[in-house]
Amino acid sequence: MGVTQLLFWFLSLLALISALLVISSKNPVYSVLWLIMVFFSISGHYILLNAQFLAVVNIIIYAGAIMVLFLYVLMLMDLKKETEPQKKRWVKLAGAVAGGSLLLVLVAALKKADLATSMTQTREGDIGLIENLGKLLFSEYVVPFEISSILFLSAMIGAVVIGKKEQPPKSPEGGL
Amino acid sequence: MIALLLILIPLLSGLVSFFLKKENTARAWALFSSLFTLAVSLLGLTLMNNEGNLHFKTEWLPDLGSSFSIGLDGMGQLICLLTAISFPIIFISTWHHVYKKAHNFFALMLLSQAGLMGVFLAMDALVFYFFWELALVPVYFLCSIWGGEKRIAATFKFFVYTFIGSLLMLVGLIYLQSQTADRSFDITSFYNLSLSGNSQNWVFLLLFAAFAIKMPVFPFHSWQPDTYEQAPTATTMVLSAIMVKMGVFAVIRWLLPVLPLGSYAYGETTVSILAVIGMVYASLLAMRQNDMKRLIAYSSIAHIGLMVIAIFAENKTAMQGVMIQMFNHGIIIIGLWIIVEIIEQKFGTRKLSDLGGLAQKAPVMALLFVVIALANIALPLTNAFVGEFLMFTGIFTSAVFKYELFIIPAAGLCIILGAVYMLNMLQKVLYGNTNTLTASGTDIRLNEKLVLGVIVILIIAGGVYPQPFLDLTKETTELILKESDVLPLLNK
Amino acid sequence: MPINYYIFLSLALFCIGMVGVLTRRNAIIVFMCIELMLNAVNLLLVAFSKMHHLKNAVANASAGGDGQLFVFFIMVVAAAEVSVGLAIIVMLYRNVRSVDINFLNRLKH
Amino acid sequence: MNALIVLAVSGVVMMFSGILLKQKNVIRVLAITLLFLAIAANTLALCGIQFFNIRLNGMLNFDRYALLFSNVLMICTFLLFLLSARDMEKVGVHYAEYFALLFFVLCGVVLVSSFSSLLILFLGIEIIAIPLYVLTGSDKRNLKSNEASLKYFLLGAFSTGIMLMGITLVYGSSGTFLLGELIPPETKPTTLLLAGILLLIFSMAFKVSAAPFHFWAPDVYDGSPTVFTSFMATIVKAAAFIAFIRLFYHGFRSFHESWVFIIAIITVLTLIIGNITAVFQQSVKRMLAYSSIAQAGFMMMVLLAMNTTAMEGLLLYAVAYSLSTIGLFAVLIKMKDYTFEGFNGLAKYQPLLAGTAVIFLLSLAGIPLTAGFLAKFYMLKAVVLTGSYLWLVITAVVMAAVSVYYYFRVIQAMYFKEGEAQPMEISSSFKWIISFVAFLVILLGIFPQLLIRWIYF
Amino acid sequence: MQNSLQIAWLVPFFPLLGFLIIGLGRKYLSKSLTGVIGSGTVFLSLLVSVWIFFLVKNENVHVAAYFNFISVDKLVIPFAFQVDALSSLFLLIITGVGFLIHVYSVSYMQQEAKEHFARYFSYLNLFIFSMLLLVMGSNFVILFIGWEGVGLCSYLLIGYWFKDNGNNYAARKAFIMNRIGDLAFLVAIFWIISKTGAVNFNEVFAVAQGQVEGKSFSANDITIITLLLFFGACGKSAQIPLYTWLPDAMAGPTPVSALIHAATMVTAGIYMIARCNILYSMSDVTQDIIMIIGLATAILAATIALKQNDIKKILAYSTVSQLGYMFLALGVGAYSAAVFHVMTHAFFKALLFLGSGSVIHAMNGEQDIRNMGGLSKKLKITYFTFLIGCLAIAGIPPFSGFFSKDAILLSVFEKNPVIYAIALSGALLTAFYMFRLLFTTFYGSFRGTEEQKSHLHESPVAMTIPLIILAVLSILGGIVGIPEVFMHNGEKLKVFLSPVIAVSTEHSVSHSTEYLLMGLSTGLVLVAILFAWNKYRNYKKITEKGFGKLLENKWYVDELYDKLVVNPILKFAGFLNNVFEKQVVEGLVNGVGRFVNYSSRQFRLMQSGQVGNYVLLMVVSILLLLVFQFYLKK
């Protein structure tokens, strides 16, 4: 039972627990925080897998940018816990059961998967290093990279279209 | 050439007719084009009666294994002649009928004629299916726009009913094509098919569903009386005189020769039993009808039933009987509809209970009506007698039937019942004393006299000297029967 | 480290996210749960990439790199999605003062 | 590649035109011209003339079929612009931006119709999806529109998650994202791969709105502005289909029998639910939403058959369905009242509009002489050729008969019912174009090979 | 050198011509012209028939084929006429009697309007045409054509006064009852075709006699065919169970009754069976059945006739009973006797009907004999001719009826004395009711209204001449059949018919017995007549009760038929129409539609509009599909 294993178990447990807290905590703000926790632990996993680039990006983009955005919006709407009406219990139950059994099915199916033996590489293998990835990205993956710019453009325009206030007020029930 | 013209003339003139704005021009145009078609079909029957003129084939959908191939054989000649004759008769007889948006009416009528011609001419299964549907659509509009008060529901029922049937047929046709040696829809490659008895059986069901609904065979008939009742009479004529024949025709051309084993398995047992039940059933119902249109509708069901049985008798006598009976029945029933139309126009009712004593007021009509009605019950020296006589003989002498001892008497019973309801109608309409409604009756107009006269002449001529018709359909019969002969297959 | 562990871990996270989507009514939380699912996927991708790297590094030095790049693109897309999504949610909030996903159901049947 | 770049550029151009140009007509004309250029560029590519020479590293593969398909979809969009671009003005103030977004969507369309790497598939689908979330909600003050876009967004994101999981599992088993190498020759399907494939099926089924993953479609189509509904229901759906089929045709065909049965189940469910539910609708718009689900059921048959007939058929089906639906929506937009009663007596006031509508409806119902019939015919034929799944074919045709029920309700309303269906003013150009579309539907109904033979030679 | 009989087509041609001319020109032809054409055409064919008759008499038999009516597969149905003894004889009867009745009608129908007068004569000519077709046809199909044709004409003529619905119902009844018989006839034809592949008499009979190798009838075939044919004859010739239409058929004009329902059409059945005697002789079963039915009909009709008061009804029933006698004769194999009786019966029954017509004419429309009486003074000719008719039908020597009836009775006696006894009693009944009719009508005091009394007069010449001629025929008609016992080489008719009808030469009964029987019957008949004389010499009204009432109501046979056959069918049809069609057939179709609508309404509920539920549904279906794929699928 080496350090790697210990770390692995620790991070996994951390991730799972905080994930559960994300979906269970009443107050949205707490959920956000727990989610950030999850992200951190996942980044830990990345490091464990020697994917440093992703680890960093994950922290920066997710934990940094996106989650902050979420928090910002939440603050903007300052939603208290009581403002979120709870679903009926049976719906919740059904949801939990469905998700749980889906997990069971997948796990059961993949348990006997033929790569039970195959290992993944931890703590070495330099593919995850920023240099290699950069090379790869700008040699072979340049086309998708450019394409993703289109994605961003559209997202940007979209945000503008949606976000800007509409000048001429219209009846809420307009046919179109 | 001829074959192509038979489709093109009504098609194009129909499209043209959409743009004729004046009612009378449209009417005259329709009449002219239908007469032209008739002339062409007569030409094909006499002068230009050779392969080159009667068959036409051109590349159409090569990657689907279908080519636009149409042609006239004896049976086609006969039934196309019926189609060609019917339309002028219909137009003339309803000459004084006023339609709103007449140009559309006549356009749709001509289009339906084109569709029908196509069905009868098609020598390629896909083309056949195309026209099969195309003939339906104009009729749907005709009935729904110009029909009676309950028209929309009735017509819609009719449309969906037949549409389901034809879609099932489509599946069957596709399957057959996928089984052919050269992956082609051509009729010859269909005739060369030899499927296993098992698959033949269910394909038979698929195809027969469409035809049975069209004809219709009991218990798929429930659309017919309503539709006939609701449709404008001109359309009813098309429906009952020609469209109904599509089913019979299709069984002869596309079912029997293609699926001999299937026909043998079902035709001689289930189908013929159904048909014979239908005959008796329809005749009994006809006895209880008070509306002339419904009465005639049921009587037509009974007659069709006999044809169905005769087809599956699978011998020359019966087959030829069926073929000329298709023609004869068409002629007769058009005559009946014309009478109904006249009466409805005059007195605004079709109820037997409201009519009576017309023989005093309209002797000419009475005479013609009597002749046509008697033809409908197959009195000798009328054309229907020949057909029914041959069909009965064929059924009786048929080698294939399993239950003929049940079929013959039941079918025979309809001869009697037919007399009952037809004479009843004659009596209620023509005889007895006039009532307040009919007292004001007058005799029929010249155009009606003309068409009814033509019809009566055809009836008598076909009844006294049917041989030409029989010679016409001889070859087709032999071909069909050769293809549909099961005995070698059974021996295998 | 056996790959199965990673598979199960990320499946677990994935399903937890799914359960969140199923059980919560706050649009933002639901959206967050979806992000959680994406992260589970990312983790698994990285694990797989390393697995393949282990397998084929000899043949191809950059083996498995594509997996990690895919993660990168997922993050990109996620960012874009978040911007639009939050914009939509905000717009909705503006109009109805609520982010309850079940608040609006004029469109039904 | 030509089209992709032209489209991306024109998207950017439209974005700026929103700031520079004020007259909407100018914007519209600009957009239409740009799209025309894109089509021209793509057509040239189809004739083998490439403007740019870019190393694609096997991520994109502009084969004939892909080019043709994207071309066809762009032409449909072109017609849509001609018919309904004017009506976008009523949606909101960001007229130019809408065009920009549509252009970006078209980029996605080109991508998904020519991808050969799961990465591109993912990006393409997102590029299609994200602008659509926006367009759906573009009618901002209309709560229906808001609701629609929220639903679309949440469900879409969710399905993205599932798709990513699927991709990951597939990657796990194969170690690559390139379609060609996903399944090494002579291997048995591992559970991992199979699970991935299934998850991909589910997510793609969501994109093409196939039951039981169709729930978003009726609400979104109903809620979003009709112009964009017409765009989504036709071009986007067709694009989703080409993505779906491309993925499975080039990716997983060799394991066909191991996943095809799931497809069969989905197909039947789609056919039944789509058609049956459409029967009872009161609003034509919503009816069309369900009918689009039903039509998806027929297109799913391609995945069942996976033979050349099916691929040819898909092309024809996409065109037939798109043209008819676009035309029908174009008519619908002109109406004041979207319920069936709203159409009562339309034939009296607008015979041409009614007549073309009839052609479109007949085509959707699959009556011969319209493209719709041959499209359905191809599908049925493709499935029958496989020799199995006849029960499915029978179900399909019965459901097609059911579809007649709701399509003809419109015809009945227009022609046989008395009413005061006064549409908005209709320009003569609109009349010409819609007649042209109707003509196309008929033409393809008689000579489909005008379209199909482009796949070869 | 083709046979001169080839022009036999002239015979039916003339009436057809008349039919067409009169029918088409009925607006333009004057009554007198119509009459001339109508009768003239028949007269022409009479002449031709006579000429043919003499040709035939010189052993010139010929089948004149004209064209192929139908030729399908191996079945060939020529349109051909068979001219031989039997048909030529019938030609004479039909054209002869037909001509007389035409002439009679000209004045009888005078008061009709022009068009209707023409209509009447066109129908009449059409009838003659069909009847000729019937007897001349050289195969079963042509025979059948005529067979149905005469049925049609009788339908048209019974319903001639169509304003009165009673007549129409009678006409319909006649046609449908005939149709029932015709069906049997048709089936017989099919049967024959299926066995022989031919319909020509000669071929069929040749097969029956085993002269054609390869084809043959089994005994059953013969029996079934003959029975079916006989059933057809029952319809046409009004035998049990299909006889009830004939009395109702009296609704038609009297000359029609005379021509169609007494002289010619109703004897078609006898003709047909006589024509097929070769077949019938081969099946004893059928013969016995025919015998029994014939006898039963004869007696039944006679008993009913006893209590009828409508002058024409009485004659109608007597016709039925006489037909019964003919069938009796056929049943015992005395075909020529039957034909003989057909001939004589044609004479005296036509005479009686025409006489009654003249009476009705005089009483302007009155038909109930209870309101007549004492007419002998006013209508001398009518009276005498009528008397002759009665004597003839009663079978008093030397009137024609005596010989024909005697021939029948004799052959019955040869077959079986008991039957003979019954038949004889029937003959007595005949004598009785005929003379009841005679006495009540012409004797006693006049019981009609004053108005009628003043109106009484003898009919015009055009009506009396035919009466007289027929009377003469009724007296002398028997000569052709005077039996051997009276004069050497008698029974000319039998000899004449021998080529068609094989003659059984040996006589089982001695001449003495024969005399005895004749004496017996004559004596008894005279007794019966005397009995009638003192009972009805001067008639007084009495209300019938008990058995009399039963007879007066014709044994309630019509009511029975309604109860057993007509009403059940109508009820059943009604049930099908109102319940089965609506509920089951329609119900199924509409049910499908309703089901679709219903399920549509249910499916809509899935679209709850709540994202949460959508996701849940999606997840669940993912779950199920995965489970299916991984665990359920084999």
Side-chain angles (χ1 to χ4, degrees), chain E residues 365-382:
Chain E
E366 179 58 67
Q367 297 196 2
D368 190 333
I369 55 172
R370 285 171 298 191
N371 308 338
M372 300 178 181
L375 300 184
S376 51
K377 305 164 205 61
K378 287 281 170 56
L379 296 77
K380 294 237 167 4
I381 309 172
T382 313

Side-chain angles (χ1 to χ4, degrees), chain C residues 7 10-11 14 18 21 27 30-31 34 37-38 41 44-45 48-49 51-52 64-67 70 73-74 77 80-81 84-85 88-89 91-92 95-96 101 104-109, chain D residues 118-119 122-123 126 130 133-134 137 140-141 143-144 146-151 153-154 157-158 160-162 164-165 167-169 171-172 174-177 192 219 222-223 281 286 290:
Chain C
I7 294 177
S10 45
L11 277 180
F14 189 80
M18 196 178 274
V21 174
V30 171
F31 189 19
I34 292 172
M37 291 163 71
L38 295 188
V41 172
L44 190 54
L45 263 174
F48 276 137
S49 83
M51 179 184 85
H52 290 303
D66 45 6
F70 203 107
F73 281 105
I74 291 179
V77 170
E81 228 174 23
V84 171
I88 291 174
I89 294 176
M91 168 184 73
L92 193 70
N95 285 340
V96 299
I101 54 171
L104 277 179
N105 54 356
R106 296 157 179 270
L107 299 164
K108 63 168 87 164
H109 300 330
Chain D
L118 295 176
L119 177 55
F122 169 63
L123 287 176
E126 284 305 312
I130 288 175
Y133 302 150
V134 177
K140 282 187 276 180
R141 290 311 184 82
L143 291 182
K144 281 190 171 180
N146 297 348
E147 177 187 356
S149 83
L150 178 70
K151 283 178 173 173
F153 169 71
L154 287 177
F158 181 74
T160 310
I162 292 177
L164 285 175
M165 182 49 94
I167 290 177
T168 311
L169 295 180
Y171 173 73
S174 65
T176 173
F177 296 110
L192 198 63
D219 295 359
D222 193 4
Q281 296 306 317
R286 204 165 171 80
Y290 281 107

Side-chain angles (χ1 to χ4, degrees), chain D residues 67-145:
Chain D
L67 287 170
L68 183 56
F69 207 93
S70 41
N71 212 28
V72 161
L73 291 185
M74 280 191 283
I75 291 170
C76 291
T77 322
F78 187 68
L79 291 171
L80 176 67
F81 278 9
L82 290 177
L83 281 172
S84 319
R86 196 183 295 271
D87 302 295
M88 276 192 240
E89 299 173 7
K90 307 196 191 66
V91 175
V93 294
H94 307 286
Y95 194 46
E97 284 79 356
Y98 299 150
F99 280 115
L101 289 170
L102 287 175
F103 274 112
F104 289 139
V105 172
L106 282 180
C107 291
V109 171
V110 173
L111 284 174
V112 294
S113 52
S114 52
F115 74 94
S116 62
S117 152
L118 295 176
L119 177 55
I120 302 293
L121 170 67
F122 169 63
L123 287 176
I125 284 191
E126 284 305 312
I127 292 180
I128 292 175
I130 288 175
L132 284 182
Y133 302 150
V134 177
L135 289 174
T136 311
S138 54
D139 186 5
K140 282 187 276 180
R141 290 311 184 82
N142 178 350
L143 291 182
K144 281 190 171 180
S145 170

Side-chain angles (χ1 to χ4, degrees), chain A residues 6-68:
Chain A
L6 273 178
L7 276 175
F8 174 80
W9 289 117
F10 169 69
L11 290 172
S12 312
L13 236 57
L14 186 62
L16 288 171
I17 290 163
S18 25
L20 284 169
L21 287 166
V22 169
I23 65 168
S24 58
S25 61
K26 291 272 171 296
N27 186 333
V29 180
Y30 290 171
S31 326
V32 175
L33 296 179
W34 283 120
L35 188 57
I36 294 173
M37 202 64 208
V38 177
F39 291 160
F40 271 108
S41 49
I42 287 179
S43 300
H45 274 295
Y46 290 162
I47 295 168
L48 201 60
L49 287 162
N50 201 14
Q52 293 136 3
F53 172 66
L54 287 180
V56 177
V57 172
N58 196 33
I59 299 296
I60 296 172
I61 294 184
Y62 267 109
I66 296 181
M67 281 304 121
V68 171

Side-chain angles (χ1 to χ4, degrees), chain B residues 157 221-222 226 281 288-289 298 320 360 374 377 379 392 396 415 423 427 431-432 463-464 466-467, chain E residues 69-72 148 152 162-163 165 168-169 172 175 179 190-191 194 570 573 576-577 580-581 586 589:
Chain B
K157 183 172 159 190
H221 62 275
S222 62
D226 299 348
Y281 180 80
R288 301 295 296 203
Q289 299 306 318
Y298 281 114
Q320 293 216 300
Q360 305 163 44
L374 292 173
I377 60 177
L379 206 75
F392 268 108
F396 205 94
I415 295 183
L423 293 186
Q427 178 181 343
Y431 301 144
V464 176
Q467 200 53 42
Chain E
F69 177 49
I70 293 174
S71 137
V72 171
E148 286 262 358
L152 167 66
F162 56 72
K163 281 187 190 155
N165 257 327
N168 301 329
Y169 282 116
R172 219 171 91 199
F175 191 89
R179 195 89 178 169
F190 299 143
W191 204 289
S194 66
L570 285 179
L576 288 182
N577 185 30
F580 188 80
E581 178 83 350
E586 295 267 351
V589 179

